[in-house]
Amino acid sequence: MSQYRLAVIGGDGIGPEVMAEALKALRAVSGPALALSWDEADAGAALWQRTGEDLPKETLALCQTADAILFGATGLPDVRYPDGTEIAPQITLRFALDLYAGVRPIRLYPGAPSPLAIPAGRRIDYVIFRENTEGLFASRGGGATVGDTAAVDSLVITRAGTERIARRAFEWCLRRPGAPADGVRRVTCVDKANMFRSYAFFRRVFQEVAREYPGVEAECAYVDAMSMYLTQAPWRYDVIVLENMFGDILSDLGAATVGGLGMAPSGDIGGRWALFQPSHGTAPDIAGQGIANPLAMILSAAMLLQWLGDRHADAAARVAAERIEKAVGAVLAKGHAKTRDIGGTATTREVGDAVLGAL
Ligand code: ATP
């Protein structure tokens, strides 16, 4: 029997609402072969307002000692640090735990709406590998301002940081059946190498790593063109690797093509620790109304189990991950429990209960 203890952080806004539904799914797959337990901890903007801390020592310690971290969402639009930036403990955790790979599967489930006109037989199913710890975000909290006249942030690309995210992307690609359009295993490096030395360096290191994987097609695209390709022919893509800021932006674009942020799970994965959270934020405009889509959060819990399964060569965790993913697929295919963002009228709880029923 395998046993895992999770750190669970609901956070702000809709974070705790969607987390409640993910925990229901985790309870349902927990059993004699897979004993899951968790400790809940606080973090976020509301906590910062109350206590002056957004990521208390105890929360960080819990994350460091748990087998994996499940995270809802944090940050509130009106609550800001004195320099005007958002309270974002999830970003602090990325750096503190060196969660360098932002893994964002973009998959259109049958029954989920896409704003794209998708030709018959085409599917959207690719994975974004966003470098999580450097790029433009390396500057977070460290940019410079000159009085009231100028502000500067720097973009940092290192060889080590690029090599490890590129390798992870290629390794992941080897586990996949290839791009939906042609079955070719393909990793696409997205950059702006025609304009900036930093991105040209990112591309050069990517191409060096690509030589270690002769069975995978490696290609490069500029980010501006890529935002067009991902709306014109997303089925051509398999695995995409890119710098932090570009990853931030294209992840939302990708999510929009598969039903929106409520459908997009993610994992922030490092060498030792991993944190799983929906790609969406705290959605203050719908918080407290019980109408948030919990599927991104539930799918993030499935990713967590998949990661535990891989890390510990644990078939029970892998099976549990697959069960949750299939249950989500079944609920969407049936179409009886959908929240407003994907064209239904169901509440957060009703969708969570439907997934539970399918499990
Ligand atoms: P962040 O900067 O933290 O990513 P944000 O303000 O850019 O946050 P979100 O909080 O993710 O973005 O919200 C963007 C939009 O998507 C909002 O209109 C919100 O209501 C909607 N949205 C986000 N998540 C969900 C969800 N789970 N269910 C339904 N709608 C959602």
Side-chain angles (χ1 to χ4, degrees), residues 71 234 264 273:
F71 197 98
W273 291 287

PDB file of all heavy atoms in Angstrom, residues 71 234 264 273:
ATOM      1  N   PHE A  71      -2.650  23.248  -4.817  1.00  0.00           N
ATOM      2  CA  PHE A  71      -2.799  24.689  -4.595  1.00  0.00           C
ATOM      3  C   PHE A  71      -4.013  25.193  -5.359  1.00  0.00           C
ATOM      4  O   PHE A  71      -4.198  24.841  -6.525  1.00  0.00           O
ATOM      5  CB  PHE A  71      -1.518  25.359  -5.122  1.00  0.00           C
ATOM      6  CG  PHE A  71      -1.284  26.755  -4.653  1.00  0.00           C
ATOM      7  CD1 PHE A  71      -0.434  27.015  -3.588  1.00  0.00           C
ATOM      8  CD2 PHE A  71      -1.894  27.829  -5.297  1.00  0.00           C
ATOM      9  CE1 PHE A  71      -0.194  28.319  -3.170  1.00  0.00           C
ATOM     10  CE2 PHE A  71      -1.662  29.129  -4.877  1.00  0.00           C
ATOM     11  CZ  PHE A  71      -0.809  29.374  -3.806  1.00  0.00           C
ATOM     12  N   PRO A 234      -3.938  24.218 -33.969  1.00  0.00           N
ATOM     13  CA  PRO A 234      -3.333  23.729 -32.723  1.00  0.00           C
ATOM     14  C   PRO A 234      -3.060  22.229 -32.736  1.00  0.00           C
ATOM     15  O   PRO A 234      -2.224  21.744 -31.962  1.00  0.00           O
ATOM     16  CB  PRO A 234      -4.377  24.106 -31.658  1.00  0.00           C
ATOM     17  CG  PRO A 234      -5.642  24.386 -32.386  1.00  0.00           C
ATOM     18  CD  PRO A 234      -5.250  24.847 -33.756  1.00  0.00           C
ATOM     19  N   ALA A 264      -8.174  24.313 -17.649  1.00  0.00           N
ATOM     20  CA  ALA A 264      -6.729  24.162 -17.855  1.00  0.00           C
ATOM     21  C   ALA A 264      -5.979  23.875 -16.552  1.00  0.00           C
ATOM     22  O   ALA A 264      -5.757  24.782 -15.744  1.00  0.00           O
ATOM     23  CB  ALA A 264      -6.190  25.429 -18.515  1.00  0.00           C
ATOM     24  N   TRP A 273      10.410  18.789  -5.489  1.00  0.00           N
ATOM     25  CA  TRP A 273       9.036  19.095  -5.106  1.00  0.00           C
ATOM     26  C   TRP A 273       8.171  19.352  -6.336  1.00  0.00           C
ATOM     27  O   TRP A 273       8.695  19.649  -7.412  1.00  0.00           O
ATOM     28  CB  TRP A 273       8.995  20.353  -4.232  1.00  0.00           C
ATOM     29  CG  TRP A 273       9.592  20.169  -2.876  1.00  0.00           C
ATOM     30  CD1 TRP A 273       9.058  19.472  -1.834  1.00  0.00           C
ATOM     31  CD2 TRP A 273      10.844  20.699  -2.400  1.00  0.00           C
ATOM     32  NE1 TRP A 273       9.893  19.538  -0.741  1.00  0.00           N
ATOM     33  CE2 TRP A 273      10.998  20.281  -1.053  1.00  0.00           C
ATOM     34  CE3 TRP A 273      11.844  21.483  -2.970  1.00  0.00           C
ATOM     35  CZ2 TRP A 273      12.102  20.626  -0.279  1.00  0.00           C
ATOM     36  CZ3 TRP A 273      12.951  21.821  -2.203  1.00  0.00           C
ATOM     37  CH2 TRP A 273      13.076  21.396  -0.881  1.00  0.00           C
TER      38      TRP A 273
END
